[in-house]
Amino acid sequence: MKKLLCKKAAEVLEGLSYEQLMDLVEMPADEKMGDFAIPCFTLAKVQRKNPAVIAVEMKEALSVHKSVLGISQLENVGGYCNLFVDRETFTQHVLEKISRPNLGISPIGTGKTVCMDYSSPNIAKNFHVGHLRTTIIGNSLYKLHEKLGYKVVRINHLGDWGTQFGKLIVAYKKWSSKEQVEQEGIDELMRIYALFSKEAPKNPKLIEEARAWFVKMEQNDREALAIWDWFKEISMVEFERVYEMLGISFDYYLGESFYRDKVPALIEELQEKQLLVESQGAQVIDLSPYDMPPCLITKSDGGTIYHSRDIAALLYRKANHHFHKCLYVTGLEQTLHFKQIFKAIELMGYHWHADCVHIPYGLVSMDGAKLSTRNGNVIYAEDILKEAIGRALEAIEEKNPDLPCKKAVSEKIGIGAVIFHDLYNQRIKNVDFSWEDVLSFEGTTGPYVQYTYARAKSILRKNGMQNLPSDVDYRCLVDDIPFTLVKILMGYEETVCNAAQKYEPSILAKYLVTLAAAFNRFYHECPILNAAPAERNARIILVDTVQKVIKDGCALLSMECPEEM
Ligand code: ARG
């Protein structure tokens, strides 16, 4: 609407371009000041005129074209020209737009590919809450981009290579068995790995042996790779359980190991471009001119490392997917790592280094306590999800024991609650996880938004689902309360665009809470099913539009909405 207004206003206001108007036009928080306001202070400076005089002239110029502009009323307040939209036209425009396919959202990403690297847990380690965050944020960014027409390639860059696997093989051979690993899964691998870390300082031979096993892996030794592969399989079973609960899948599982054989070509290229220097036997890229520590490419024993495998992966992705952007969702602590990687790509002469984006997020704590492996205070993602489902089921038993399909509903609520809680605050902020905040049915939570959806659906069911009125008198929606809702609905497309472009699903989560709150106010203050026919029809259409937007928005956060709860 703002765009439309500015386009038309630019045609009638001399000396003001569309772009200038887009910069200038505001949407006042106080509705009494108009739906749009044009402040004339910067213009006053340029034109050396009193802003109030300019505002009056502007009002006169625009008044002549009221109907073309979709404006019903204009006012001058000080240096402002305030515009009140024609509510009927506006409402019709918004509700018709959202009724179109894809809720009227333009596919601005058509023809562009975005590679997304997220989740990417480490083999033989538990899938903890930190990985839950990258998984949830990454998946929402995937859905947001897809909604806008981008082709998204979802890549799980598993941490499946490194010296730790040499240690694990030694530990397995010494302290575990096939049966034990099969039975206990990752827990057993974590147990023996911890044991190794404890024993190694006392027994240097262990380190030697571990090193030897890793060398074997790097030399493609059959036995070594078979054990490693099996550890990977065991781990994947557990990761898949989490992905299934969250309804998440990937286009590629290409772990770090996949890029090992691509590192030699990288080294050759770096040598050719004279970017490699030796440092204590290792090969590095000197980044001191950029105030960064050197980027390690090979270790002194010639082996590859996290950094070189990541650079090789990025070159591989560019060559195979010709991406418009390549996004990485990881914890904030990896910021330097990605700066180094992207700098290396730049130094290699690739202009597209600017299309690579690290999307960091903050730490997770539990009831105020920091989570770490060392003090054993690790929270498994799977346990959190299960607990959330269990608590949701308890709440249903207490509040609505006759609800059909309780189990399925409790899954949607429990999982939705965890996801929403994770996404509600800016991703860079730390998240403190407290069950009360997560599962509350009031306030800024997933269940609150889901409940609002269920409420809207229940109204539509009572109205008779098939009976959506075809002919609507939009004049019935021009009062403040329904019209506020219409204005919020208008902002949906912009919200989706912003959330995708800023890599910030919280923008959408906050929007959904605002929409839900406005809907609930409307629900409490305006009778729907008992209203006179014309009003009832119009309100039903509004309810239907709200329910569509909530469902669509939740889906973009990877949350499902139960029809009843
Ligand atoms: N496996 C890493 C971790 O758990 C995350 C990998 C992120 N992706 C990447 N291409 N480096 O911290």
Side-chain angles (χ1 to χ4, degrees):
M1 190 74 187
K2 180 176 164 182
K3 285 183 192 154
L4 214 67
L5 176 79
C6 291
K7 209 167 100 201
K8 290 189 175 152
E11 288 164 17
V12 299
L13 290 176
E14 247 170 74
L16 274 177
S17 68
Y18 166 74
E19 287 76 22
Q20 281 171 311
L21 280 163
M22 279 300 284
D23 268 350
L24 223 49
V25 173
E26 295 171 355
M27 296 178 81
D30 179 0
E31 286 176 5
K32 288 192 200 70
M33 306 307 280
D35 299 302
F36 296 103
I38 314 182
C40 298
F41 307 99
T42 46
L43 296 175
K45 277 196 199 124
V46 185
Q47 300 180 7
R48 296 169 187 241
K49 268 203 224 164
N50 185 324
V53 174
I54 301 182
V56 170
E57 287 171 3
M58 199 177 266
K59 180 185 159 191
E60 276 163 17
L62 292 174
S63 292
V64 188
H65 303 278
K66 263 191 346 207
S67 63
V68 190
L69 291 164
I71 296 295
S72 65
Q73 193 191 331
L74 292 107
E75 273 173 13
N76 284 130
V77 180
Y80 285 90
C81 178
N82 296 340
L83 316 178
F84 294 82
V85 299
D86 177 46
R87 291 188 169 188
E88 185 188 342
T89 315
F90 186 92
T91 302
Q92 176 166 9
H93 173 83
V94 173
L95 299 190
E96 284 181 358
K97 176 184 153 85
I98 297 177
S99 73
R100 292 205 290 268
N102 206 33
L103 283 76
I105 294 179
S106 318
I108 54 172
T110 305
K112 295 189 184 121
T113 298
V114 175
C115 285
M116 287 198 47
D117 177 322
Y118 62 103
S119 194
S120 310
N122 301 319
I123 298 304
K125 292 216 181 119
N126 77 309
F127 196 109
H128 58 77
V129 273
H131 285 121
L132 192 58
R133 280 212 88 189
T134 149
T135 308
I136 289 173
I137 295 169
N139 204 57
S140 173
L141 291 177
Y142 147 61
K143 300 228 163 158
L144 283 160
H145 280 84
E146 192 186 54
K147 184 96 208 162
L148 293 170
Y150 292 92
K151 176 177 176 227
V152 184
V153 183
R154 298 163 297 172
I155 304 167
N156 197 324
H157 189 80
L158 294 168
D160 64 356
W161 202 254
T163 45
Q164 69 272 28
F165 293 101
K167 298 178 188 170
L168 208 56
I169 294 178
V170 173
Y172 165 66
K173 289 192 169 258
K174 285 212 163 21
W175 303 306
S176 190
S177 67
K178 191 161 186 296
E179 295 70 40
Q180 255 168 295
V181 172
E182 250 152 28
Q183 208 166 49
E184 302 292 326
I186 293 180
D187 279 346
E188 172 68 0
L189 298 177
M190 300 247 298
R191 180 189 74 83
I192 58 175
Y193 190 78
L195 201 54
F196 184 96
S197 307
K198 209 175 111 209
E199 294 298 319
K202 294 181 239 161
N203 184 358
K205 249 192 78 201
L206 285 175
I207 310 256
E208 283 296 301
E209 281 176 46
R211 201 170 286 146
W213 272 109
F214 185 58
V215 169
K216 279 190 177 183
M217 279 172 62
E218 296 235 85
Q219 291 166 347
N220 294 322
D221 173 84
R222 270 257 202 98
E223 188 195 354
L225 287 189
I227 302 177
W228 162 81
D229 218 33
W230 175 56
F231 289 162
K232 211 166 143 168
E233 243 171 68
I234 295 276
S235 308
M236 283 312 299
V237 172
E238 300 196 20
F239 299 164
E240 284 297 343
R241 277 207 304 269
V242 176
Y243 293 143
E244 205 188 302
M245 280 175 146
L246 292 167
I248 283 179
S249 54
F250 292 88
D251 299 304
Y252 297 98
Y253 285 94
L254 291 178
E256 292 184 42
S257 63
F258 178 76
Y259 303 99
R260 287 190 290 147
D261 65 356
K262 296 167 183 59
V263 174
L266 166 68
I267 295 174
E268 220 169 275
E269 186 178 344
L270 289 169
Q271 266 159 352
E272 240 164 61
K273 294 183 172 166
Q274 301 191 334
L275 288 168
L276 279 189
V277 287
E278 209 187 291
S279 162
Q280 297 160 347
Q283 299 283 330
V284 308
I285 304 175
D286 175 25
L287 296 178
S288 58
Y290 315 99
D291 287 330
M292 281 186 251
C295 178
L296 208 57
I297 299 296
T298 58
K299 295 179 295 180
S300 50
D301 62 9
T304 65
I305 178 154
Y306 187 46
H307 288 70
S308 39
R309 293 192 287 270
D310 243 337
I311 300 174
L314 194 40
L315 294 172
Y316 178 87
R317 287 173 194 171
K318 186 66 188 177
N320 283 276
H321 303 297
H322 314 286
F323 58 72
H324 160 73
K325 287 242 158 91
C326 184
L327 314 180
Y328 295 85
V329 187
T330 82
L332 188 58
E333 68 285 351
Q334 295 199 38
T335 303
L336 175 63
H337 169 78
F338 287 105
K339 268 194 179 163
Q340 291 176 303
I341 302 304
F342 303 160
K343 194 46 132 186
I345 294 286
E346 181 182 353
L347 294 174
M348 289 170 85
Y350 297 117
H351 65 87
W352 49 265
H353 69 92
D355 305 329
C356 306
V357 189
H358 177 220
I359 302 169
Y361 58 82
L363 292 173
V364 188
S365 54
M366 188 91 189
D367 288 321
K370 216 177 141 192
L371 301 173
S372 83
T373 336
R374 257 174 240 133
N375 59 24
N377 191 11
V378 192
I379 309 282
Y380 286 45
E382 195 179 348
D383 294 344
I384 291 222
L385 295 174
K386 281 189 183 153
E387 171 101 23
I389 295 169
R391 288 182 186 233
L393 190 59
E394 270 169 34
I396 296 173
E397 294 292 3
E398 187 192 309
K399 292 182 184 157
N400 191 4
D402 300 328
L403 183 76
C405 315
K406 280 188 264 197
K407 196 168 161 286
V409 174
S410 70
E411 281 168 11
K412 289 179 185 168
I413 297 176
I415 305 259
V418 172
I419 292 178
F420 197 86
H421 181 260
D422 199 305
L423 295 178
Y424 183 74
N425 288 307
Q426 271 186 335
R427 65 178 148 71
I428 205 69
K429 295 209 173 126
N430 295 344
V431 179
D432 185 45
F433 204 93
S434 94
W435 284 112
E436 257 141 69
D437 294 350
V438 176
L439 278 162
S440 162
F441 281 72
E442 272 146 61
T444 57
T445 65
Y448 170 71
V449 174
Q450 287 169 320
Y451 186 69
T452 308
Y453 171 82
R455 171 175 275 169
K457 283 312 274 279
S458 140
I459 299 166
L460 295 175
R461 270 193 306 274
K462 284 185 194 137
N463 184 61
M465 274 295 220
Q466 304 326 334
N467 303 336
L468 277 185
S470 52
D471 126 64
V472 184
D473 185 350
Y474 293 99
R475 274 174 306 185
C476 299
L477 298 173
V478 300
D479 289 345
D480 284 351
I481 292 177
F483 190 66
T484 302
L485 201 45
V486 170
K487 274 170 87 176
I488 296 171
L489 288 169
M490 179 71 192
Y492 184 55
E493 177 171 16
E494 204 184 343
T495 301
V496 171
C497 285
N498 271 338
Q501 274 154 10
K502 296 189 173 133
Y503 312 118
E504 194 60 83
S506 65
I507 295 175
L508 176 57
K510 291 204 160 74
Y511 170 88
L512 290 172
V513 168
T514 307
L515 176 60
F519 176 79
N520 287 321
R521 175 151 180 238
F522 165 73
Y523 172 84
H524 286 299
E525 299 196 20
C526 307
I528 300 167
L529 297 170
N530 296 328
E535 241 122 43
R536 172 178 168 137
N537 279 355
R539 287 175 184 168
I540 283 292
I541 287 292
L542 186 57
V543 172
D544 185 54
T545 311
V546 169
Q547 102 19 56
K548 264 194 206 130
V549 171
I550 295 185
K551 186 171 187 178
D552 194 72
C554 283
L556 295 180
L557 302 178
S558 329
M559 274 168 70
E560 283 186 78
C561 290
E563 298 296 305
E564 261 183 272
M565 65 189 260

